[in-house]
Amino acid sequence: MKKKVIILITTLMILGSVFFSFFNRQQSPKVAAEKKRTTIVAATGGEPKPFTFVKNDKLTGHNIELLKAIFKKLPQYQLKIEKTKFESIFSGLKSDRYQIGVNNFAKNAEREKNYLFTDPIFQNSYVVIFKSKSQLSKKVTSWSDLKNLSTVGSTGVNTTTAIEEYNKNHTDGKIDFHYSAEDLASQLRSIESGKYDFLLMDKPMFKYYQKEFNFKLESKSVSGSLEKELLAEPYSYLIVSKGNEKLVKDINKALKQVVKDGTSKKINEKYFGEDYSPTYK
């Protein structure tokens, strides 16, 4: 009897060993694939809405949804998105703590020295916002028409970058620019109240806020020399930390697929009512 028990136990051990060996062989390709995935950390400031914002304790918005759609095409990467202070995005990219900055970023010479840029993710158009029935809206057709007028904006956004560049090159007739940490809705209220003369902003963003808040404001399309200077780079981009050229290449390939298959269009129409997807040659 004792001998039979020993034989039974030995048999079970052998069968168990065979089973686990088979199980491990079946699982190993998946485990190996998981191990090969490279973690990519993307950082965002969580505003301006609707490009990036927090809803029900989760990051969402045009840029966030588009980034996730891009990385669905890139199974070799595991994407993580973190919310941080806007200025911390840049320091995090320099140290490679973050590999991607996602915040409706414009391109300028200073940023090109420090970071890599993907292909465009969004094609902008701009408007100048005035208080309703403002006489100023009838006069402004160029940058020079804005000189000595007051405005407000956040650090690092496309329009702020454009105004900074104008002021740097026109010290004799600067735009009276005021930096603000307030959200865009508050900045629009400051135009409505008359605190500042105008606000330069993305057309799709203004339409989004106007639909939500119904401000007593009017917009004027950017045209003439104002359009020529501001729209020299009428796009938004993802910015990538230096040394990640392959990541940029992979993102660009997936981005073109997301635009081609209509995913980008669907995301744009969800937030803006029309498509602002870029076109590629």
Side-chain angles (χ1 to χ4, degrees):
M1 181 68 182
K2 186 176 180 181
K3 187 176 180 179
K4 287 182 179 180
V5 171
I6 292 171
I7 291 171
L8 179 61
I9 292 172
T10 303
T11 302
L12 289 172
M13 288 176 67
I14 292 169
L15 288 173
S17 177
V18 171
F19 172 77
F20 281 112
S21 176
F22 174 77
F23 179 80
N24 285 335
R25 283 200 300 272
Q26 291 297 103
Q27 291 294 312
S28 60
K30 182 179 179 181
V31 172
E34 288 291 330
K35 287 182 178 179
K36 287 182 180 178
R37 294 181 77 190
T38 301
T39 299
I40 300 298
V41 183
T44 180
E47 58 181 2
K49 190 178 181 181
F51 290 104
T52 170
F53 61 99
V54 177
K55 183 178 181 181
N56 298 325
D57 297 323
K58 291 184 178 180
L59 280 165
T60 188
H62 171 275
N63 281 193
I64 303 301
E65 287 195 27
L66 185 65
L67 183 65
K68 289 180 178 179
I70 290 168
F71 273 82
K72 280 185 178 179
K73 309 279 188 185
L74 300 171
Q76 67 271 38
Y77 298 109
Q78 181 177 356
L79 177 66
K80 292 184 178 180
I81 306 175
E82 292 185 6
K83 182 177 178 293
T84 187
K85 291 182 179 179
F86 183 81
E87 58 272 18
S88 296
I89 298 174
F90 301 103
S91 59
L93 286 166
K94 285 184 177 179
S95 67
D96 204 38
R97 174 183 176 183
Y98 306 128
Q99 288 72 53
I100 298 174
V102 51
N103 221 99
N104 195 39
F105 284 113
K107 183 189 289 187
N108 60 40
E110 185 62 29
R111 288 178 182 171
E112 285 189 283
K113 291 178 185 177
N114 297 301
Y115 315 105
L116 304 175
F117 282 77
T118 65
D119 288 337
I121 63 169
F122 188 83
Q123 184 165 352
N124 284 318
S125 58
Y126 295 95
V127 287
V128 187
I129 309 302
F130 299 95
K131 187 177 179 179
S132 290
K133 300 179 182 179
S134 169
Q135 292 299 311
L136 291 172
S137 65
K138 300 174 183 178
K139 301 175 182 178
V140 173
T141 58
S142 68
W143 279 112
S144 58
D145 294 326
L146 295 173
K147 70 180 181 181
N148 300 322
L149 296 183
S150 62
T151 188
V152 63
S154 303
T155 304
V157 301
N158 302 9
T159 49
T160 296
T161 301
I163 292 172
E164 288 171 340
E165 191 65 22
Y166 174 82
N167 281 345
K168 185 166 67 176
N169 297 323
H170 298 81
T171 54
D172 58 334
K174 290 184 176 183
I175 294 168
D176 182 17
F177 186 80
H178 299 259
Y179 291 96
S180 174
E182 292 182 322
D183 60 26
L184 196 50
S186 297
Q187 292 178 27
L188 285 164
R189 289 189 189 95
S190 71
I191 307 303
E192 186 180 45
S193 69
K195 182 177 180 180
Y196 301 110
D197 295 318
F198 75 93
L199 185 67
L200 186 62
M201 66 183 296
D202 305 62
K203 178 182 176 182
M205 197 184 300
F206 176 64
K207 289 175 68 176
Y208 179 90
Y209 277 84
Q210 191 65 352
K211 182 179 179 181
E212 184 171 349
F213 295 101
N214 194 28
F215 292 117
K216 293 179 180 178
L217 297 168
E218 59 184 70
S219 65
K220 182 173 184 179
S221 295
V222 171
S223 59
S225 65
L226 190 60
E227 178 182 35
K228 184 178 179 181
E229 292 188 47
L230 181 61
L231 298 183
E233 274 288 349
Y235 302 105
S236 298
Y237 304 82
L238 299 174
I239 56 177
V240 178
S241 57
K242 285 286 185 76
N244 285 301
E245 286 79 5
K246 186 179 186 306
L247 176 60
V248 171
K249 184 178 179 181
D250 290 342
I251 288 173
N252 288 342
K253 182 179 179 181
L255 175 59
K256 288 179 175 64
Q257 294 172 2
V258 166
V259 171
K260 187 176 181 180
D261 68 18
T263 303
S264 176
K265 179 181 179 180
K266 185 178 178 180
I267 293 170
N268 274 283
E269 289 179 341
K270 173 182 175 179
Y271 287 101
F272 305 110
E274 55 187 294
D275 189 16
Y276 290 92
S277 299
T279 55
Y280 305 108
K281 294 181 181 179

